[in-house]
Amino acid sequence: MKKLSTFFVLLLSVFAFAQSTITGTVSDEDGKPVPSASVTVEEPGKDAIIAYSITNSKGEYKVTFTTAEPNVDLKIKAFNQKPLQKSVKNQDSSQNFALESDATEIKEVKIKTKMITKRGDTISYDLKAFESKADRTLADVLKKIPGIDVNPDGSVLYQGEPINKFYVNGKDLMEGGYGTINNSLPKDAVQKVEVMENHQPVKILQDKVPSENAAINVKLKNSVTMTGRGEAGTGFGEPWLWNLKLTPMFFGQKNQWVINYKTNNNGETVEKEGNILSFGNRYEGRRVNVSQNDWLNVENASTPNLPEKRYLMNNVHYLSANLLTNPFKSKDWELKANASYTNNAVSRESYTENTDFLSNTKYLTNISNKYYTDKAKGELIFTKNAKKGFFKNVTTFSQFWNADRADVNRNDIYGTRNGAEAIESPTTSFQNSLSTIIPWKEKLVNLMSYISFQDDHQTLDISPSSYLKFKSYKDSLGFQHFLFEDTDAIRQKLRIKTVEINHSASVGFTAKNWTFTPEVGFNYSNDQLNTEFSTLTNSTFSPYGNDYNNNLKFTNAVPYASLGINFKSNSWMLYSQFPFNFNNIKADDPERNVAKSINKLTFEPMVFAQYTFASFWKASANANMNYNFGNTNDSYAGYIFTSPTSPSAMSADNPIPETRSKSIGTKLEYRNPLNNLFGNIGYRYSKTNRNIIGNSINDGSGFILTNFRELDNQSNSNSASVEIGKYFPSFKTNASLSFNNSVSKSDQITTDLNNEEYFFVNKNTSQTAGLKFNNTYFSWMSIDYNLLFSWSHQVNQFNDSKNSGFNHNLSTYFYPVENHTIGFTWDQINSGNNLTTYNNAFYDLSYQYSWAKKKIDFELKWMNIGNRKVFERFATSAISESYTRMELRPSQVMFTVKFNFK
C-alpha cells in the first residue's frame, strides 16, 4: 500500500494551488453580446494557455484554472473586434468586457479549419488533418488521431479506455458491433469525428446519472449518404488465393443500413467484425457476445504473437446485414434488425519441446489442427430513447454447428505414439433483454429483465485408444500404466443446459445535483451438466464405468438490494452502487455424492469519482469489491476428458470456493485541443483473497483429481501506466509514448509425479514501453511506425528467469508520381531469455495505381518476401519452460481491385 499512498500524495499535490473561477460577459460597443469569442487565461510573461472558454449566444463565459501565480492575464479575441488583455488576480471573480469594433477590409480570404476543436464535453477532429495519401477507410485515419487508439480486435479506446457508443450521424445502427463500419466506411465520406466525453447514452438520465466513458460520433459530409467499400482480389500461393469484400452502406435521416459480404483464404480475419465491441450503459439492458461453453477440447497447436495475417490458414465466408428505421412518426422510436452468418475452416500446426523442472524431463509434441466454424445469429432491437422516457428490448438467437480436429504425434516416457481427435459441438442460444425507464411525478422508475437459455452438446472421440497413456505410481518400488489397449477408441459426451434470469426494479429521486436510486432485484442461474464416457469395441460404444458419469445441478440464486448515489456538477461527477447480495448456492449430484451449499450475505460496493479542473485536466478515482463463489467447473466429481491429455475431476468433498477481490485505481488525464496534446497517467492496486487452494494429485489410475484445501491464500498486483500523445502541425506528425509497469505475487501449490506437495510464492514483474508515430510532412512519402519493448522477470523456488521481447511495425508509402504508390512494410518480432533469442522478421512490398476519376485502386502486393515459414518462441512458467515452432503462411502475391460504391 506504500506505492498507493505515494501516488495519492502526488495526485493531491496537483490541487495544492488554489483553483479559481472567473465568469462574466463579452459585449460589443453597443452592449450587444458577442458569441463565439475566445477567453484564454495565461501566466504573465509566458506564451502558454492554462485554460480557455468560448462565449455562448448570450456572450457569457466561465473559465476555471489552477496556478501558483498571484495574477494571470485574461485575453479576449473575437472576429471584427479589437483583442483585449487584462491582468486579474488569481481568485474567483466576475469580469465583464466591452470590445471595440475593428472592421477590416479583406482583399483575400483563406479559410483554414482547425484540426481539433472543443465545445463543452465534445472534442471534434477534422479527418483531413490526419490522413495520408495511402489511407482509404475511417479505420486507417482513426488510429492516427491523438488521444485515440485502435486495438487489434478493432475496438476503439479514448485516453486508454473503451468507448461506450459508436454513432454515425447521431444514430447507433450497429449497437456496439461497429467493426464493419470502421473498416469499410470511405474516409472521403466523413466530415469529422466527434468524441463525446462522459457520454450518457440514455437521454432521460443525461442530467441525473453520469458516465465515465466516452462515445464517438462519425459526422458525414451529407445528411443522406450512399457509400461503401469493395475489393476483389486473386493471387499466387498454395492453394490459389482469393479475397472479395462488398460492403454497401446507406445513412439517411430516417433509415440506415449496412450489408456486408467478405470471403478470403489469404489469412485475413473478417468474421470478428460482428463482435460487440462497446456495450453501452447498464440502464440499456444487458448485451453479451454469445459464445459456446467449451468444456471439451482437442489438443491445440500454439499460435504466434503476430498479426493473424502472418499465420492464419483460413477459408472464410462472412455475411451480415444491419438495418435501422423509424417505424413511427416519432423519431424517438427505432427498430433495428441484425443478422449474420459465418462459415470458416482454419488449419494450424506447431511443434513444442517442453521441459518440466520437477521431473527434469523433456516432452516433444507435434499438433496439426482443423477448426470448422458454422454460426448463424439474428437480433431484433426495439428502442425509444427520449427525454421523457426510455424503452429498449433486444432479442437474440444464435446457433453454432462447430467442429474441431487434431492429429497429434508425441514422444515422451512412453515412446512415440500418434492420436486422432475429433469434436462435434452444436450449440443453441437465446437471450432477451428488456429495460424501460418511466417518469412518475418527479421520480424515474426503471424496470429491467434479462432471460438467457443455452444448450451445449459436445462429443469428443479419440482413436486409437492406445494413444491414451497416463502414468500413475503404484508404490515406492515402481509404477503402473492406465491403458485402453483392449478398445478401439474412446468417446466423451457432454451436455450442459444453462438458464439465467435477472430481474430488477429501481426508483430514482433527484435533489439538486444528486440522484438516489434504491433498487431491488433477483438474479438466478442454473447449470444442468450431464456427461458419459464410453469405449468402442467391435464398432459398438459401451459405457466404461459409473466413475465417469456426471448428473450435476448447480444453482445460484441471489436476491439483492442496492442503493445508487450519483452526483453531477460542472466540475464533479460521482457514480456509485452499494449492493447487498444474499447468495444462495447449491451443487447436487447424488450419484457422485456431491451435496454442498452456501448461504452468505455480501456487500459489494463500487465507486467512481471524477473532477474536471483548469479546462484541460481530469482526475478520477475508482474502487470496488466483489465476491465469487465458484461455478459448475469447481463442482463436478465424475471424471471428464476435458482434454485428451488431462482427464480430471473435482473431489466430492471439496468446499465451495469463496474469492474476495478488491481493487482501487486513480487516473489523471490532460486533453488540450489548443496545442493538440493528450496524456494520461494511472495506477491500480488489486488484491484477491481465497479460502481454499487447489491441489491436483494423481488418483492412482493416472487421472487428475483436484482437492480444494481450506487454506487462506492471496494474490495481489500493482500496475502503473503513463501515455502521452501530441500532434505537431508544422511537421504533420502524430506521436505518442507509453509505459506500463506491473508487479504481481500469488500463493501457489503444485505436486510432482510422486504426489509430493510444494507450496511457494510466484512473483512476476513486467514492463512494456511503446512508441507510435505517423508522418505526412513530405508530399512524396508517409510513414507509420509502432515500436514495443517488453521485459518480464519470474521468480519462485523452481525458476528464476528473465524474458524480453521486441516488436515493431514500419509501414512506409512513397508517391513518386501522381496516382502511383509504392508501399513497404517491415514487421520484426524478437523474443527470448538471457540464454536464447529468436528473431522473426517479415517484409511486404506493394504497388498501387489509383484511377482518381473513378476512385478505383489497382494493387499488386507481395507478402512475406523472405518466405519465412515458421515462427519460434521461448517461454517459461512457474515449473516449466518450452520451445515452440509454429507454422506460418508462405510467401504470396495478390492482385486486388479496390473501389468505393459511390
Side-chain angles (χ1 to χ4, degrees):
M1 292 298 288
K2 289 182 179 179
K3 293 182 180 179
L4 184 60
S5 301
T6 302
F7 185 83
F8 273 115
V9 170
L10 292 174
L11 184 60
L12 289 173
S13 67
V14 174
F15 308 104
F17 304 127
Q19 177 174 309
S20 302
T21 300
I22 298 177
T23 59
T25 61
V26 179
S27 59
D28 60 17
E29 291 177 316
D30 299 325
K32 295 181 180 179
V34 178
S36 301
S38 66
V39 182
T40 59
V41 180
E42 299 182 11
E43 294 181 346
K46 299 179 181 179
D47 186 20
I49 298 173
I50 60 174
Y52 79 101
S53 178
I54 304 294
T55 59
N56 59 21
S57 59
K58 298 179 181 179
E60 300 169 334
Y61 73 91
K62 178 181 180 180
V63 60
T64 302
F65 57 93
T66 302
T67 179
E69 297 291 335
N71 298 293
V72 295
D73 290 337
L74 210 59
K75 295 182 179 181
I76 295 86
K77 295 180 181 179
F79 184 69
N80 275 344
Q81 308 291 334
K82 284 186 178 181
L84 190 150
Q85 178 174 331
K86 183 179 180 180
S87 178
V88 298
K89 291 185 178 181
N90 180 8
Q91 62 184 28
D92 294 347
S93 64
S94 178
Q95 303 287 338
N96 299 325
F97 299 94
L99 303 181
E100 296 181 14
S101 299
D102 186 24
T104 304
E105 183 180 351
I106 302 175
K107 296 181 180 179
E108 182 181 3
V109 177
K110 291 184 178 180
I111 300 176
K112 185 177 181 181
T113 305
K114 291 183 178 179
M115 59 188 67
I116 305 176
T117 58
K118 185 176 186 294
R119 185 175 293 274
D121 284 339
T122 300
I123 298 177
S124 299
Y125 300 86
D126 178 21
L127 223 62
K128 283 288 184 182
F130 303 98
E131 67 180 31
S132 70
K133 292 181 180 180
D135 296 333
R136 292 294 181 268
T137 66
L138 174 63
D140 293 336
V141 187
L142 204 60
K143 67 181 83 171
K144 300 176 181 178
I145 294 177
I148 296 178
D149 292 306
V150 181
N151 285 330
D153 65 356
S155 58
V156 178
L157 307 180
Y158 175 70
Q159 290 286 61
E161 300 294 334
I163 61 173
N164 63 4
K165 284 289 182 178
F166 186 97
Y167 300 103
V168 178
N169 281 353
K171 290 182 177 290
D172 183 17
L173 164 66
M174 306 304 289
E175 282 287 343
Y178 55 79
T180 298
I181 291 181
N182 202 20
N183 294 330
S184 301
L185 178 63
K187 66 177 180 60
D188 294 335
V190 181
Q191 178 184 353
K192 60 182 177 181
V193 172
E194 298 175 331
V195 173
M196 297 175 286
E197 298 182 320
N198 301 121
H199 177 65
Q200 169 57 266
V202 181
K203 294 180 181 179
I204 197 173
L205 301 177
Q206 283 179 350
D207 298 325
K208 301 173 179 65
V209 179
S211 169
E212 61 186 279
N213 295 109
I216 280 183
N217 179 44
V218 179
K219 192 170 182 179
L220 304 180
K221 293 178 180 178
N222 302 311
S223 58
V224 177
T225 302
M226 176 69 191
T227 186
R229 187 80 176 151
E231 294 184 17
T234 185
F236 302 96
E238 182 61 40
W240 190 265
L241 304 175
W242 77 82
N243 181 22
L244 178 65
K245 302 178 183 179
L246 300 172
T247 313
M249 308 176 183
F250 175 79
F251 303 100
Q253 296 179 329
K254 186 177 179 179
N255 302 308
Q256 292 186 354
W257 55 259
V258 173
I259 297 175
N260 184 31
Y261 174 66
K262 295 182 178 179
T263 176
N264 72 81
N265 69 341
N266 67 345
E268 184 176 354
T269 301
V270 295
E271 64 275 16
K272 293 181 182 179
E273 287 188 346
N275 289 350
I276 301 173
L277 301 175
S278 62
F279 295 88
N281 185 282
R282 71 176 294 265
Y283 289 97
E284 293 185 88
R286 184 173 173 184
R287 299 290 308 285
V288 297
N289 279 313
V290 178
S291 60
Q292 296 180 284
N293 287 310
D294 292 325
W295 278 67
L296 308 184
N297 297 277
V298 298
E299 295 178 73
N300 294 299
S302 300
T303 58
N305 55 326
L306 289 172
E308 281 191 324
K309 65 180 181 180
R310 299 293 183 191
Y311 65 86
L312 184 63
M313 312 288 185
N314 67 331
N315 185 329
V316 63
H317 298 266
Y318 176 69
L319 174 66
S320 67
N322 301 77
L323 170 67
L324 179 153
T325 186
N326 297 112
F328 307 125
K329 291 183 178 180
S330 173
K331 293 184 179 181
D332 295 331
W333 287 95
E334 291 181 343
L335 175 65
K336 303 173 190 178
N338 307 321
S340 64
Y341 174 72
T342 302
N343 182 278
N344 193 16
V346 173
S347 301
R348 190 170 296 155
E349 186 172 346
S350 72
Y351 166 80
T352 301
E353 297 178 2
N354 190 79
T355 302
D356 188 305
F357 296 147
L358 294 176
S359 60
N360 196 29
T361 55
K362 180 178 288 189
Y363 304 96
L364 311 181
T365 309
N366 195 89
I367 303 175
S368 179
N369 290 120
K370 293 281 188 181
Y371 303 103
Y372 301 97
T373 300
D374 206 6
K375 174 187 174 183
K377 177 184 176 182
E379 194 168 54
L380 194 64
I381 305 172
F382 198 46
T383 65
K384 176 188 178 182
N385 192 3
K387 282 290 186 180
K388 295 184 178 180
F390 176 79
F391 176 90
K392 185 170 186 177
N393 190 85
V394 182
T395 303
T396 307
F397 177 81
S398 302
Q399 180 68 50
F400 298 81
W401 302 272
N402 292 355
D404 298 336
R405 303 289 185 264
D407 291 315
V408 186
N409 176 271
R410 286 186 170 274
N411 190 341
D412 51 24
I413 59 174
Y414 300 102
T416 301
R417 64 190 195 279
N418 300 311
E421 305 160 8
I423 283 183
E424 302 293 332
S425 54
T427 294
T428 300
S429 176
F430 171 84
Q431 292 86 32
N432 192 85
S433 172
L434 169 66
S435 177
T436 183
I437 301 176
I438 306 168
W440 177 48
K441 297 181 179 180
E442 299 299 323
K443 307 174 184 65
L444 296 177
V445 178
N446 176 220
L447 303 175
M448 300 180 70
S449 172
Y450 175 79
I451 299 172
S452 172
F453 170 77
Q454 185 160 318
D455 189 4
D456 292 276
H457 293 256
Q458 292 187 311
T459 302
L460 170 64
D461 290 335
I462 305 171
S463 64
S465 58
S466 58
Y467 173 75
L468 301 176
K469 291 181 169 65
F470 307 104
K471 183 177 179 181
S472 60
Y473 280 87
K474 185 175 182 179
D475 50 38
S476 58
L477 300 178
F479 57 85
Q480 61 184 7
H481 298 285
F482 185 83
L483 307 175
F484 290 100
E485 299 289 358
D486 55 342
T487 64
D488 299 321
I490 66 106
R491 170 171 290 178
Q492 175 71 68
K493 298 184 69 174
L494 181 146
R495 182 179 186 182
I496 180 168
K497 295 181 181 180
T498 303
V499 176
E500 187 173 359
I501 300 172
N502 309 134
H503 296 312
S504 67
S506 65
V507 180
F509 303 84
T510 300
K512 294 185 178 180
N513 295 327
W514 293 89
T515 300
F516 301 90
T517 310
E519 178 179 323
V520 293
F522 179 71
N523 297 331
Y524 174 83
S525 65
N526 174 271
D527 286 348
Q528 181 66 53
L529 175 68
N530 299 98
T531 71
E532 180 183 276
F533 180 73
S534 56
T535 58
L536 177 66
T537 306
N538 298 324
S539 302
T540 301
F541 276 102
S542 304
Y544 190 78
N546 192 46
D547 289 344
Y548 305 91
N549 295 338
N550 287 280
N551 187 16
L552 175 68
K553 183 178 181 181
F554 188 96
T555 60
N556 187 354
V558 186
Y560 71 90
S562 177
L563 176 63
I565 301 177
N566 306 300
F567 176 83
K568 187 174 183 181
S569 68
N570 290 331
S571 299
W572 282 97
M573 185 181 76
L574 171 69
Y575 178 77
S576 60
Q577 290 286 335
F578 300 94
F580 288 89
N581 299 321
F582 304 87
N583 301 275
N584 301 277
I585 301 169
K586 192 174 183 180
D588 286 303
D589 185 348
E591 294 184 11
R592 301 268 65 79
N593 296 319
V594 176
K596 44 194 173 184
S597 62
I598 187 171
N599 299 283
K600 187 166 185 176
L601 173 65
T602 59
F603 177 54
E604 304 180 41
M606 183 280 294
V607 178
F608 173 84
Q610 180 176 278
Y611 178 60
T612 302
F613 60 100
S615 297
F616 308 124
W617 294 89
K618 282 185 179 181
S620 62
N622 63 85
N624 66 76
M625 179 170 66
N626 59 72
Y627 286 79
N628 183 279
F629 296 96
N631 50 39
T632 310
N633 302 66
D634 305 313
S635 303
Y636 71 93
Y639 286 104
I640 302 177
F641 275 79
T642 54
S643 171
T645 59
S646 58
S648 59
M650 301 290 164
S651 171
D653 299 325
N654 284 345
I656 292 179
E658 177 181 329
T659 302
R660 183 176 75 253
S661 301
K662 297 178 288 186
S663 71
I664 185 170
T666 60
K667 192 170 188 179
L668 183 64
E669 301 177 45
Y670 180 79
R671 319 95 69 234
N672 188 341
L674 297 179
N675 60 14
N676 312 310
L677 180 62
F678 292 76
N680 63 83
I681 180 171
Y683 173 81
R684 175 162 295 278
Y685 172 79
S686 61
K687 183 177 181 179
T688 300
N689 292 89
R690 306 175 186 86
N691 66 326
I692 61 172
I693 191 166
N695 183 26
S696 299
I697 63 171
N698 195 306
D699 69 346
S701 64
F703 288 4
I704 302 301
L705 182 68
T706 299
N707 285 310
F708 285 161
R709 178 174 301 178
E710 294 195 63
L711 179 67
D712 290 338
N713 64 98
Q714 68 176 30
S715 61
N716 61 72
S717 67
N718 294 269
S719 63
S721 63
V722 60
E723 181 179 13
I724 185 169
K726 180 174 172 58
Y727 183 77
F728 301 90
S730 300
F731 302 99
K732 293 186 178 181
T733 298
N734 180 40
S736 66
L737 293 169
S738 62
F739 181 78
N740 180 277
N741 180 76
S742 64
V743 180
S744 63
K745 294 181 180 180
S746 61
D747 297 328
Q748 294 189 15
I749 183 174
T750 189
T751 59
D752 61 14
L753 293 175
N754 296 305
N755 288 334
E756 184 177 348
E757 294 181 344
Y758 298 89
F759 292 87
F760 61 97
V761 175
N762 192 57
K763 179 180 178 181
N764 277 291
T765 304
S766 63
Q767 298 88 28
T768 60
L771 165 67
K772 294 192 298 183
F773 78 85
N774 57 77
N775 178 278
T776 58
Y777 180 78
F778 300 102
S779 61
W780 53 271
M781 182 183 69
S782 62
I783 299 175
D784 292 313
Y785 185 70
N786 296 306
L787 172 66
L788 182 68
F789 287 98
S790 62
W791 306 268
S792 65
H793 185 192
Q794 182 172 237
V795 179
N796 57 55
Q797 73 180 75
F798 306 106
N799 185 24
D800 184 347
S801 61
K802 294 181 179 180
N803 294 299
S804 61
F806 169 83
N807 188 337
H808 87 104
N809 170 265
L810 172 67
S811 296
T812 306
Y813 297 93
F814 300 94
Y815 316 104
V817 182
E818 185 71 18
N819 299 325
H820 296 263
T821 302
I822 298 173
F824 174 74
T825 300
W826 173 20
D827 289 335
Q828 181 79 38
I829 298 92
N830 298 346
S831 64
N833 59 10
N834 11 3
L835 300 177
T836 309
T837 300
Y838 299 102
N839 301 322
N840 298 274
F842 302 89
Y843 307 98
D844 304 331
L845 188 64
S846 66
Y847 166 75
Q848 181 172 284
Y849 170 72
S850 298
W851 188 3
K853 184 177 180 179
K854 298 293 184 180
K855 293 186 177 181
I856 299 176
D857 298 323
F858 301 91
E859 182 188 63
L860 184 65
K861 191 170 187 177
W862 183 9
M863 295 188 64
N864 193 4
I865 296 174
N867 199 26
R868 181 179 289 273
K869 296 182 179 180
V870 296
F871 179 89
E872 298 175 300
R873 181 173 63 205
F874 183 86
T876 60
S877 67
I879 58 174
S880 66
E881 65 180 16
S882 64
Y883 160 79
T884 305
R885 187 172 64 241
M886 291 149 277
E887 182 186 19
L888 301 177
R889 295 190 66 90
S891 182
Q892 60 188 44
V893 177
M894 289 286 295
F895 174 75
T896 306
V897 180
K898 305 177 183 180
F899 55 91
N900 292 348
F901 278 100
K902 194 172 180 179

